[in-house]
Amino acid sequence: YDEFGFEINEEDSRLMAMMDIGHHQFEDPGLRLRWLAYLEFTHNPGVSEFSWDQLANYLPRDDKLFELVRCGVPHQLRPQIWPRLAGSLVLRQKVPLTYKELLRRTVESSAQSVARQIEKDVMRTMPQNGCFSSKNCTGVKRLRNILRCLAELFPEIGY
């Protein structure tokens, strides 16, 4: 299986071996450096060493940022970059409800009909993927939690 849970067959393995990239995603180290240089020189207040804590929760749009996004966000930087691009860090500051609190609330108040439907749907999601292949897999648990939270947050929509 690859890092996303998809099975790697013989043809994939041969192709990856020919490309000399192994079973891990190939990333251009130059692109990672370009991202870090952009962040440090464009969004780092002051001359101090770059730190994620000093970076704003939202990245203002400019031509250079669009160019970098089109080239791709390196895998190692995604946990820091995507929330800033999506604006989720700003939203998190505005909304007092956390995911953990919402998840706790769903366990306490989950309707049986919603829970049954979610359970059916989760097990039909990508059964060939290693993350969703059985009821106790990580992907199944995470998707179940997310769907329960969405059903709790938006009861008027239903599930």
Side-chain angles (χ1 to χ4, degrees):
Y1 292 99
D2 66 8
E3 64 184 305
F4 302 107
F6 291 99
E7 189 173 359
I8 298 174
N9 60 32
E10 283 185 44
E11 184 179 333
D12 293 336
S13 294
R14 282 194 302 272
L15 181 61
M16 292 169 80
M18 285 178 8
M19 295 172 66
D20 195 28
I21 60 175
H23 291 294
H24 298 288
Q25 182 179 357
F26 172 74
E27 290 189 345
D28 178 11
L31 179 61
R32 185 174 188 278
L33 287 175
R34 284 176 44 210
W35 268 100
L36 291 173
Y38 168 77
L39 295 169
E40 183 162 1
F41 294 115
T42 309
H43 299 287
N44 190 18
V47 187
S48 61
E49 187 176 330
F50 176 75
S51 164
W52 290 111
D53 295 332
Q54 295 174 350
L55 190 62
N57 286 340
Y58 179 79
L59 294 176
R61 304 319 193 235
D62 61 30
D63 291 341
K64 185 66 178 172
L65 180 63
F66 282 122
E67 178 188 329
L68 285 169
V69 169
R70 280 188 220 108
C71 291
V73 179
H75 193 69
Q76 292 176 335
L77 301 181
R78 288 177 187 176
Q80 298 297 332
I81 299 292
W82 281 122
R84 286 173 168 84
L85 291 173
S88 63
L89 294 178
V90 174
L91 285 175
R92 191 180 302 161
Q93 290 174 333
K94 292 179 183 177
V95 178
L97 184 64
T98 66
Y99 176 71
K100 286 182 181 181
E101 291 168 2
L102 185 59
L103 193 56
R104 183 182 44 77
R105 217 167 42 171
T106 65
V107 171
E108 293 170 358
S109 68
S110 188
Q112 286 298 325
S113 62
V114 170
R116 275 195 304 270
Q117 188 59 47
I118 287 173
E119 205 57 37
K120 285 183 202 174
D121 289 345
V122 183
M123 294 313 301
R124 291 187 280 221
T125 303
M126 296 189 296
Q128 72 283 5
N129 184 297
C131 297
F132 294 92
S133 59
S134 76
K135 195 172 187 170
N136 296 320
C137 287
T138 305
V140 170
K141 292 175 186 177
R142 290 178 179 172
L143 182 58
R144 179 187 302 120
N145 288 342
I146 289 169
L147 292 175
R148 284 181 178 173
C149 287
L150 287 170
E152 179 74 21
L153 266 179
F154 305 106
E156 66 280 2
I157 295 173
Y159 181 80

